[in-house]
Amino acid sequence: MTQEQLEVFLQGLTDRLADAMRADPFDPRVGHQVGIELVAAHIASAEGLGRTIEIIQLRLLHDLGLVADDAEDRLARLLATVATGYARALRDRTLDAQESLRRAAMMARAQAERALRESEARFRHQATHDPLTGLPNRTLFTERLAAAIDRRGRDGQRVGLCFLDLDRFKVVNDTLGHQVGDSLLVSVGRRLHEAVGDHLVARLGGDEFVILVERTTGTEDVVRVAEAALHAVNRPALVDGHELTVSASIGIVERPVAGTTPSDLMRAADSTLHWAKGAGGARWELFDVDRNQQELARYALSAAIPAALERGEFYLDYQPLTSLRDGSVVGAEALVRWRHPELGELRPDRFIGLAEETGLIVPLGGWVLADAAREAEGWPTGGRPRAPFVSVNLAVRQVHGPGLVRQVRDLLEDTGLPPERLQLEITESAMMSTTGEPVRALRTLADAGVRIAIDDFGTGYSNLAYLRDLPVTELKFAGNFVAGLRGSRNDPSSRTDERILASLVSLAHALDLTVTAEGVETAAQAERLRAIGCDAAQGWHFGRPGPSGQILDLLHRERQPTPTVIAAPR
């Protein structure tokens, strides 16, 4: 209250006390009400009560001019009721304040507990669900998968997974931005949920989704889910103003619950997804135990290559390259073998592909190159001015490596092998796709005298005109190109193959290239190749791959005068 409002309020209370003193009969309860109203007006201190009683005692009778015999008695009773009302009101106010505080504390605690529960709940729509798509995340999926498998005693229960990954999703992110990519993931997640919503659809991260199919009756159940998922994803989608069409690859695994674990299922689904990706995408693949065992064996084999190099388990065989003009050995191709301690002798087709996939072909190829050069340096001339060259296959990774020129130069210097006695073979597809620095490296080596040959010619581009711009000295026709010469000369298809080969040989010679035919197995093939002008041949007819000593035997044999022949003994 303002000062003026306070004076008006107190005047009113004083008037009521004065009226009570004059009233007949006398009613002291008015003082009780005055005490209550003083507290209600927040005049609620001990000092306030004392000052009130003091003023009433000193001034009320005097100011009213009351001289009745019972005036002092009335005043005492009135003061008592004022004090009583004041005390009771103050007590009630205190109790009310305490109750209000208690209730406020209870409400605050209830609100805090509710906020805690809501926070915990939010921590849990975050711990178990993907914040982008709203789908269950890896944590919830793993829990559900574990629960689906942990059904001991339920004979015959089966479970299936569809592990889905978008094809070429990185292109969307790289070209249109991550915001569009995220919107696309949201769209894909919604479509999957709509298409197979009866089953748990989870996002594992990135562009990977998984569908849990419980209580299956066989692989057909999971295949139907996978096909529905592919159809849902493949529909064109309008995302942030961009019309996008995407595809997906799916790995399917379905098996009995008994005897499996969540990790086994996920590994199987992941492997199968990679099969689908490797087959071109936009498809599903079904897990196959035998194929998986083969993949595991391949992985184990690739992982063993580095240690095998250190232990000296690799060795080289050599297959002669024979001149079709006089039957002399003009060179030998180095072919790597693996003497595996458990699997026995492994041919290149068992491990070269693995080495190329993993990048281990670089150290392995470097070892082959070095060992072949050291071996060839000791080959005799065989009665000719120059000893045969050694031919070594180079993988694409080796050609594209930055240190190829330095590696070859150092090797030739260390071994003393003349550069013209080293031939580097590169497959046709690798050579035709090689540009820029790799071509310059090959040209540098060719300028230094190293022979460069295209291996398996005829299996790829067969673009002879393109060869004019490449540092190539020799073409090696693929064996399947030569296979047609096995037939009789009267066979129309055989004659056609011969004419094709003759044309290619003629064109190669026009480009100053020598020609070697691979896969020659019969004397008839050798004769027909010689007749069309082919320079050299390689194949079982002239000698199977063998140790370096086999080449030495052939070269020593050439020192003795013999009639000119086309073929050497098998």
Side-chain angles (χ1 to χ4, degrees), residues 347-567:
R347 299 178 62 81
D349 57 357
R350 289 285 302 275
F351 58 86
I352 289 296
L354 294 176
E356 289 177 340
E357 292 172 10
T358 59
L360 294 171
I361 192 64
V362 175
L364 178 59
W367 176 86
V368 171
L369 186 61
D371 202 62
R374 282 192 295 267
E375 190 71 49
E377 195 279 329
W379 289 347
T381 61
R384 292 165 299 168
R386 187 174 63 204
F389 60 84
V390 64
S391 193
V392 180
N393 292 281
L394 286 187
V396 175
R397 288 179 183 264
Q398 290 176 275
V399 177
H400 287 261
L404 179 63
V405 173
R406 172 54 56 191
Q407 179 186 15
V408 173
R409 282 177 172 172
D410 290 347
L411 178 62
L412 294 176
E413 182 177 349
D414 292 342
T415 61
L417 184 71
E420 63 273 11
R421 291 191 54 212
L422 176 63
Q423 177 168 282
L424 302 178
E425 295 188 19
I426 306 169
T427 61
E428 180 184 4
S429 56
M431 176 63 81
M432 295 305 177
S433 62
T434 297
T435 58
E437 188 60 33
V439 169
R440 285 192 288 273
L442 293 175
R443 183 167 286 112
T444 299
L445 292 174
D447 291 342
V450 176
R451 299 170 58 90
I452 306 296
I454 293 184
D455 191 21
D456 288 335
F457 188 81
T459 60
Y461 297 87
S462 300
N463 190 341
L464 286 169
Y466 187 56
L467 296 177
R468 292 178 302 180
D469 302 321
L470 295 175
V472 176
T473 55
E474 177 168 316
L475 296 184
K476 296 186 71 176
F477 287 142
N480 56 359
F481 227 162
V482 180
L485 301 185
R486 291 182 184 177
S488 169
R489 289 181 183 236
N490 296 326
D491 182 3
S493 61
S494 180
R495 290 201 306 270
T496 299
D497 290 339
E498 184 176 335
R499 286 195 292 269
I500 293 174
L501 277 172
S503 299
L504 292 176
V505 168
S506 177
L507 289 173
H509 286 166
L511 294 172
D512 292 327
L513 303 177
T514 59
V515 178
T516 297
E518 298 179 298
V520 180
E521 299 182 353
T522 67
Q525 285 178 309
E527 173 57 31
R528 295 176 70 176
L529 288 167
R530 185 196 63 78
I532 62 176
C534 190
D535 301 292
Q538 174 182 356
W540 287 3
H541 176 66
F542 297 100
R544 299 195 179 201
S548 179
Q550 174 178 294
I551 301 299
L552 291 175
D553 290 342
L554 291 175
L555 294 176
H556 286 307
R557 201 176 304 157
E558 287 182 2
R559 291 183 177 181
Q560 304 173 3
T562 56
T564 300
V565 294
I566 293 175

Side-chain angles (χ1 to χ4, degrees), residues 184 187-188 190-191 230-239 242-247:
L184 176 60
S187 175
V188 169
R190 182 175 60 251
R191 292 181 177 200
L230 287 179
H231 179 72
V233 172
N234 289 345
R235 296 200 314 269
L238 186 63
V239 179
H242 302 275
E243 185 172 351
L244 303 177
T245 301
V246 295
S247 62

Side-chain angles (χ1 to χ4, degrees), residues 245-261:
T245 301
V246 295
S247 62
S249 302
I250 296 181
I252 299 175
V253 58
E254 192 275 343
R255 62 179 56 167
V257 167
T260 192
T261 65

Side-chain angles (χ1 to χ4, degrees), residues 87-415:
R88 286 179 177 174
L90 187 60
R91 180 198 63 189
D92 292 344
R93 175 181 170 177
T94 302
L95 292 176
D96 289 344
Q98 291 176 343
E99 180 64 19
S100 296
L101 289 173
R102 187 183 69 84
R103 290 180 178 177
M106 290 179 62
M107 290 180 62
R109 183 171 62 188
Q111 290 174 349
E113 290 176 349
R114 183 169 60 251
L116 178 61
R117 288 193 298 270
E118 291 174 351
S119 176
E120 290 175 344
R122 285 193 300 270
F123 175 78
R124 286 193 295 270
H125 278 327
Q126 295 175 0
T128 61
H129 283 75
D130 173 49
L132 178 63
T133 63
L135 293 174
N137 64 8
R138 183 184 294 271
T139 300
L140 180 55
F141 165 75
T142 302
E143 293 175 357
R144 286 284 301 273
L145 178 58
I149 291 177
D150 190 19
R151 296 195 179 108
R152 297 182 178 88
R154 302 185 184 182
D155 295 338
Q157 289 278 350
R158 300 179 70 87
V159 67
L161 292 181
C162 294
F163 195 179
L164 181 147
D165 183 87
L166 299 183
D167 298 327
R168 295 173 293 279
F169 176 71
K170 186 176 183 297
V171 176
V172 176
N173 274 340
D174 292 346
T175 57
L176 300 179
H178 288 274
Q179 181 177 349
V180 175
D182 287 348
S183 299
L184 176 60
L185 291 175
V186 172
S187 175
V188 169
R190 182 175 60 251
R191 292 181 177 200
L192 289 174
H193 181 71
E194 293 172 353
V196 296
D198 293 339
H199 307 288
L200 177 71
V201 180
R203 181 189 176 210
L204 300 187
D207 59 337
E208 293 182 340
F209 298 83
V210 65
I211 305 169
L212 173 61
V213 186
E214 301 185 54
R215 297 179 177 86
T216 62
T217 60
T219 57
E220 296 82 4
D221 294 344
V222 194
V223 168
R224 282 195 294 270
V225 172
E227 290 180 341
L230 287 179
H231 179 72
V233 172
N234 289 345
R235 296 200 314 269
L238 186 63
V239 179
D240 292 351
H242 302 275
E243 185 172 351
L244 303 177
T245 301
V246 295
S247 62
S249 302
I250 296 181
I252 299 175
V253 58
E254 192 275 343
R255 62 179 56 167
V257 167
T260 192
T261 65
S263 57
D264 289 341
L265 278 170
M266 286 303 297
R267 277 195 300 268
D270 185 59
S271 296
T272 313
L273 172 62
H274 286 292
W275 299 348
K277 285 281 190 183
R283 63 196 301 136
W284 56 262
E285 289 283 347
L286 186 63
F287 180 75
D288 179 80
V289 175
D290 293 337
R291 181 176 179 180
N292 185 60
Q293 291 298 326
Q294 294 173 3
E295 293 287 337
L296 292 176
R298 280 170 52 84
Y299 175 79
L301 203 60
S302 65
I305 291 177
L309 273 171
E310 293 182 2
R311 291 193 295 261
E313 295 176 5
F314 292 98
Y315 67 96
L316 296 181
D317 275 344
Y318 298 87
Q319 187 170 32
L321 306 177
T322 304
S323 169
L324 290 175
R325 181 177 58 83
D326 59 10
S328 63
V329 176
V330 295
E333 180 178 356
L335 302 171
V336 63
R337 306 286 192 258
W338 185 355
R339 191 177 290 108
H340 195 281
E342 298 175 0
L343 303 177
E345 182 178 307
L346 301 180
R347 299 178 62 81
D349 57 357
R350 289 285 302 275
F351 58 86
I352 289 296
L354 294 176
E356 289 177 340
E357 292 172 10
T358 59
L360 294 171
I361 192 64
V362 175
L364 178 59
W367 176 86
V368 171
L369 186 61
D371 202 62
R374 282 192 295 267
E375 190 71 49
E377 195 279 329
W379 289 347
T381 61
R384 292 165 299 168
R386 187 174 63 204
F389 60 84
V390 64
S391 193
V392 180
N393 292 281
L394 286 187
V396 175
R397 288 179 183 264
Q398 290 176 275
V399 177
H400 287 261
L404 179 63
V405 173
R406 172 54 56 191
Q407 179 186 15
V408 173
R409 282 177 172 172
D410 290 347
L411 178 62
L412 294 176
E413 182 177 349
D414 292 342
T415 61

